[in-house]
C-alpha cells in the first residue's frame, strides 16, 4: 500500500486530519532540505509537499516564485533535491510529495522522473500546471512507479469535470480553496468551501486536501473542522505563509518547525 | 498522393503535429473553452467579420501597401558575388495604425472580448507594440486595460510606455527574473488566473495554450492574404521567397500561413542571433533550442537539461523571448519553413541601411528580416522576387539605436 493511502487510512480511523505543509526544495539553501523535513515531521506534519523549483511557476504567487528563483540562482537542481530527500528519507515516516511543473517532467521524461522520485523516497506527485487532458501522458508512468498522483480542482471546475479529475487522481484530490495563484490572505470563509467538498464527496472516496490561501492555524481549523463551522476537508495545505517565514529567518529550520507546530494546533 | 495539407492544423486538441496543446493550471481551462467556443461562433458570424473588416479598414488603415524597394535591391546587387539580385518587396505593416502588425490581432480579440461580455483586457508586451495595440483596442471598445511589461523593456522602449499611458492603459512593471517578455507573460497569466471571470487576456503572439496560437495566426493572416493578392496583381505571380522575423512568431505566422500550401514559395523565418550562438547570447530557439513546455504549449524553447527556461538576449525587445509559437516548430520539423538567425550587429546595420536607402526606419525586430533578405536576394536570380514582412516601424527604437550606435 502506498504510504499516502496508509497515512489517510490511519488518520480516518482515528477521525483525525492531516496537515500538509509545503516547502520549496533547496530553499533557503540545499543543505536545509533534510533538516527542514525532519523538523516539520516533529512539529506535526503528516505529509510534506516539496516544491521542485521551476524558472516559470505560473500557478505560484510572489512568495513561492521568489523562493524558487532564489533556489535556482543558488544552483539547486531536481537532482540535488532528490539526493537530499533520499538521504533524509530513512529517518522520516511522513509522506513526501513532489510538487513539480509539467515542464520539468516533460524534459526529464515522465518515466525517468517517476523512477528518480521513487528512488529518492517520494510517495507521490502533484502536477499544478497541467489540466487532466495533457496530464494523461505523465500519469501512467507515475502510477506504475507506485506514486500517488494529484491534480488540482479549481473553484470554477464544473461538477462533471471535477469527477473526471478525481477519477484520474490517487492518494488524495487537491482542491483549490480559492481562485488565482498561491499566496497568503487574511480571511478564509469555510461555508462555500464546505459546499464544494460536499459535492466532491459524492463522486470520490479519495481524501480531499485544500490549499491556496490557507495561512494560519485558524484557517487550518476552518478547512478541516466538520461543517457547519468548518469545510470538512481531510487535509490542509499551507505553503506561502510558511515559505515567507523561512525566507526571512536566521534559522529557517527552527522557524519552520515552530510555525508548523502552531498550524498543527488548528487540527484539534 | 493524398496528403493532408500543411495548413490543416491545429487538431481539435490544439496540436500542430506534436506541438502546441494546452498546458495550463486547471483554473484557466473553462476560460480557454469559452474562448474557443466564442471564436468558433464569431468565425461563422457574417456580422462579426464585417465589423472586423470595417475596423481593419477605417481604424487600422488596411490594406497596407506592397512596396518595391528599388534602392535596397540595387544595394543587394552591389553586395552580390554575381552582381545580380532578386527584386526586394516590402509588405508595409509598419504603416498599420500604431506602427506594427500587432493591432490586427488586438482588434480581433478585442471584439471577441466584447462578445464574451468581459470588461477588462490584460496583455504582456516586450517591445511595447502589442501593449500599445491592446491599449488602442481597449480605448476604441471602451474596455479597461492593464499591460504587463518587464522593467528592462520599460527602460529600452520608453516611448511606448508613454503611449500606452496616454491611451488610458495602466502599465505594470515586472521586476522578476530577466525583467523582459517571458516574465511579463508569467505575470499576465497570474493576473488572469485570479481575474478570469471578467477579464480577457490578449496574448500578443502565436504562443500560449490552445486556442491562442490558432486565433492569433488567423487574425494575423490578413497580412499573407493581402500579400498574395497584391503579388498577383503587381508582380503578376506569387513571390519566390517570403521572409519574416520570428520572436514568438506572430507576424511570420500571419505572413506565412496563406502561403504554406504553395510549394513553389520558399518561406524563411529569421530569429534573433544576438551577440553569438553561445547559450544566453541569442534568442533563437528554433535554431539552437529543443522541444519543451513554456507558457502553455509544447514548442522549441531555450532550456537547460532539467527544463528550466534559459536566459536569452536580443537587441530587439520584441524578439527577446526564449520560446516560439508551436506552429513554427511544426513547420520547422516538416521542413516547410527554413529558420535562420541574424545577429544584433547585422540587424542594426540593416536598420540604418533601410532608413538611408528607402526612407523607411524599420523596427529592430523587422530589421532582422531585412538583413537576411538583402543577402538572400543577392543569391537569387534577377527575375525572382523576395517579399519581406516589414512588421513594424522603428520610431520606438531610436533611444536604443542611439545607445547601440553611439550616436
Amino acid at each position: 500500500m502506498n504510504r499516502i493511502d496508509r497515512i489517510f487510512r490511519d488518520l480516518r480511523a482515528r477521525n483525525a486530519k492531516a496537515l500538509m505543509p509545503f516547502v520549496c526544495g533547496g530553499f533557503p539553501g540545499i543543505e536545509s532540505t533534510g533538516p527542514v523535513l525532519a523538523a516539520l515531521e516533529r512539529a506535526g506534519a503528516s505529509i510534506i509537499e516539496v516544491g521542485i523549483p521551476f524558472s516559470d511557476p505560473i500557478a505560484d504567487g510572489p512568495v513561492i516564485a521568489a523562493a524558487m528563483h532564489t533556489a535556482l540562482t543558488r544552483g539547486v537542481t531536481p537532482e540535488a533535491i532528490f539526493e537530499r530527500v533520499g538521504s533524509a528519507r530513512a529517518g522520516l515516516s511522513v509522506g513526501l510529495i513532489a510538487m513539480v511543473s509539467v515542464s520539468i517532467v516533460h524534459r526529464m521524461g515522465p518515466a525517468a522522473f517517476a523512477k528518480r522520485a521513487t528512488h529518492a523516497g517520494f510517495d507521490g506527485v502533484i502536477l499544478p500546471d497541467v489540466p487532466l487532458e495533457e496530464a494523461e501522458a505523465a500519469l501512467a508512468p507515475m502510477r506504475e512507479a507506485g506514486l500517488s498522483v494529484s491534480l488540482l480542482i479549481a473553484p470554477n471546475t464544473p461538477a462533471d469535470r471535477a469527477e473526471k479529475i478525481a477519477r484520474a487522481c490517487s492518494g488524495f484530490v487537491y482542491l483549490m480553496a480559492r481562485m488565482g495563484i498561491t499566496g497568503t490572505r487574511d480571511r478564509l470563509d469555510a461555508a462555500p468551501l464546505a459546499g464544494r467538498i460536499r459535492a466532491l464527496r459524492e463522486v470520490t472516496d479519495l481524501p480531499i486536501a485544500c490549499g491556496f490561501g490557507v495561512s494560519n492555524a485558524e484557517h487550518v481549523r476552518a478547512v478541516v473542522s466538520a461543517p457547519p463551522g468548518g469545510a470538512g476537508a481531510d487535509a490542509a495545505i499551507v505553503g506561502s505563509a510558511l515559505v515567507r517565514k523561512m525566507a526571512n529567518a536566521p534559522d529557517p529550520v527552527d522557524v519552520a518547525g515552530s510555525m508548523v507546530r502552531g498550524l498543527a494546533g488548528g487540527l484539534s | 498522393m493524398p496528403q493532408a495539407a500543411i495548413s490543416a492544423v491545429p487538431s481539435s486538441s490544439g496540436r500542430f503535429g506534436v506541438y502546441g496543446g494546452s498546458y495550463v493550471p486547471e483554473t484557466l481551462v473553462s476560460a480557454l473553452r469559452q474562448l474557443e467556443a466564442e471564436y468558433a461562433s464569431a468565425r461563422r458570424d457574417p456580422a462579426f467579420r464585417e465589423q472586423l473588416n470595417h475596423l481593419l479598414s477605417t481604424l487600422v488603415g488596411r490594406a497596407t501597401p506592397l512596396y518595391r524597394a528599388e534602392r535596397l535591391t540595387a544595394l543587394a546587387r552591389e553586395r552580390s558575388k554575381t552582381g545580380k539580385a532578386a527584386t526586394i518587396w516590402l509588405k508595409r505593416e509598419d504603416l498599420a495604425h500604431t506602427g506594427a502588425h500587432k493591432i490586427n490581432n488586438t482588434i480581433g480579440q478585442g471584439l471577441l472580448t466584447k462578445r464574451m461580455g468581459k470588461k477588462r483586457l490584460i496583455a504582456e508586451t516586450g517591445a511595447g507594440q502589442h501593449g500599445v495595440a491592446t491599449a488602442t483596442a481597449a480605448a476604441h471598445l471602451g474596455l479597461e486595460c492593464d499591460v504587463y511589461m518587464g522593467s528592462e523593456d520599460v527602460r529600452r522602449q520608453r516611448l511606448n510606455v508613454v503611449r500606452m499611458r496616454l491611451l488610458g492603459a495602466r502599465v505594470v512593471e515586472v521586476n522578476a527574473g530577466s525583467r523582459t517578455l517571458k516574465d511579463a507573460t508569467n505575470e499576465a497569466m497570474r493576473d488572469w488566473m485570479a481575474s478570469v471571470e471578467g477579464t480577457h487576456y490578449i496574448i500578443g503572439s502565436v504562443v500560449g495554450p490552445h486556442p491562442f496560437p490558432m486565433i492569433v495566426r488567423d487574425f494575423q493572416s490578413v497580412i499573407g492574404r493581402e500579400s498574395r493578392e497584391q503579388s498577383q496583381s503587381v508582380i503578376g505571380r506569387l513571390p519566390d521567397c517570403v521572409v519574416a522575423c520570428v520572436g514568438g512568431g506572430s507576424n511570420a505566422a500571419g505572413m506565412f500561413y496563406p502561403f504554406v500550401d504553395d510549394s513553389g514559395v520558399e518561406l524563411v523565418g529569421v530569429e534573433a542571433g544576438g551577440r553569438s550562438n553561445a547559450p544566453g547570447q541569442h534568442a533563437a530557439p528554433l535554431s539552437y533550442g529543443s522541444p519543451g513546455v513554456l507558457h502553455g504549449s509544447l514548442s522549441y524553447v531555450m532550456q537547460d537539461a532539467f527544463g528550466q527556461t534559459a536566459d536569452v538576449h536580443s537587441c530587439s525587445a520584441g524578439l527577446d523571448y526564449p520560446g516560439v509559437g508551436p506552429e513554427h516548430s511544426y513547420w520547422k520539423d516538416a521542413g516547410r519553413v527554413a529558420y535562420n538567425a541574424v545577429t544584433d550587429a547585422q540587424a542594426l546595420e540593416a536598420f540604418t541601411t533601410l532608413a538611408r536607402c528607402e526612407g523607411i526606419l524599420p523596427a529592430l525586430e523587422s530589421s532582422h528580416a531585412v538583413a537576411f533578405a538583402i543577402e538572400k536576394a543577392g543569391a537569387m536570380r534577377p527575375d525572382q522576387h523576395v517579399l519581406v514582412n516589414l512588421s513594424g516601424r522603428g520610431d520606438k527604437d531610436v533611444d536604443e539605436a542611439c545607445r547601440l550606435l553611439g550616436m
Side-chain angles (χ1 to χ4, degrees), chain A residues 53-58 60 72 77-78 103-104 106-107 129-131 133-134 152 156-157 161 165 176 179-180, chain B residues 15 21-24 26-27 29-30 33 182 186 189-190 193-194 196 290 293 298 303-309:
Chain A
F54 176 50
S55 53
D56 300 276
I58 55 173
D60 281 306
L72 290 174
T77 61
S103 302
I104 291 176
H106 184 275
R107 182 64 173 166
D129 56 359
V130 63
E133 294 76 6
E134 303 288 4
L152 276 60
N156 60 353
T157 304
R161 184 173 167 82
I165 295 172
M176 288 171 64
M179 288 291 279
Chain B
R15 293 281 166 175
S22 185
Y23 299 86
V24 291
E26 172 65 20
T27 317
V29 170
S30 63
R33 299 225 163 135
K182 170 184 84 99
N186 288 343
M189 286 195 154
R190 288 175 182 136
M193 275 185 268
V196 66
S290 56
V293 176
L298 174 63
Q303 59 184 340
D304 73 7
F306 296 105
Q308 310 289 358
T309 311

Side-chain angles (χ1 to χ4, degrees), chain B residues 151-348:
Chain B
S151 52
E152 167 66 7
D153 293 337
V154 166
R155 178 193 68 74
R156 57 183 169 172
Q157 305 282 304
R158 195 182 50 84
L159 178 68
N160 276 342
V161 175
V162 177
R163 291 170 78 198
M164 286 184 266
R165 288 182 176 143
L166 287 171
L167 289 160
R170 198 166 67 102
V171 179
V172 186
E173 222 173 294
V174 178
N175 280 304
S178 58
R179 301 188 288 271
T180 57
L181 183 53
K182 170 184 84 99
D183 310 284
T185 307
N186 288 343
E187 282 310 308
M189 286 195 154
R190 288 175 182 136
D191 179 315
W192 202 32
M193 275 185 268
S195 64
V196 66
E197 299 295 329
T199 295
H200 178 60
Y201 174 20
I202 301 195
I203 291 188
S205 193
V206 287
V207 300
H210 179 66
F212 282 108
M214 169 182 75
I215 291 179
V216 178
R217 174 200 72 192
D218 289 353
F219 284 137
Q220 291 296 358
S221 288
V222 66
I223 304 171
R225 283 198 307 274
E226 285 177 10
S227 296
R228 278 181 67 92
E229 282 168 27
Q230 291 165 328
S231 300
Q232 297 281 15
S233 79
V234 180
I235 308 173
R237 62 181 179 85
L238 295 182
D240 300 279
C241 179
V242 179
V243 182
C245 67
V246 180
S250 71
N251 89 81
M255 176 56 108
F256 293 164
Y257 187 64
F259 287 101
V260 289
D261 293 329
D262 299 309
S263 55
V265 179
E266 182 184 0
L267 303 174
V268 184
V270 184
E271 294 193 294
R275 302 183 191 103
S276 76
N277 61 5
Q281 299 300 311
H282 60 80
L286 291 163
S287 303
Y288 309 118
S290 56
V293 176
L294 176 66
H295 293 147
S297 60
L298 174 63
S299 194
Y300 279 83
V301 62
M302 295 311 305
Q303 59 184 340
D304 73 7
F306 296 105
Q308 310 289 358
T309 311
D311 286 338
V312 290
H313 159 82
S314 171
C315 65
S316 138
L319 303 184
D320 198 353
Y321 181 68
V324 67
E327 194 160 15
H328 287 290
S329 295
Y330 166 65
W331 287 337
K332 173 191 161 73
D333 285 9
R336 179 61 190 96
V337 180
Y339 294 90
N340 288 273
V342 153
T343 65
D344 285 352
Q346 290 170 307
L348 266 172

Side-chain angles (χ1 to χ4, degrees), chain A residues 5-30:
Chain A
D5 296 330
R6 205 174 61 228
I7 288 169
F8 278 112
R9 187 198 58 190
D10 294 351
L11 286 166
R12 277 185 173 177
R14 292 190 282 125
N15 201 20
K17 307 290 185 160
L19 181 64
M20 291 177 53
F22 166 95
V23 291
C24 173
F27 179 82
I30 190 68

Side-chain angles (χ1 to χ4, degrees), chain B residues 128-150:
Chain B
Q129 289 301 125
H130 175 56
V132 168
T134 303
T136 300
H140 173 79
L141 297 167
L143 299 167
E144 245 186 277
C145 181
D146 288 330
V147 180
Y148 289 88
M149 189 170 189

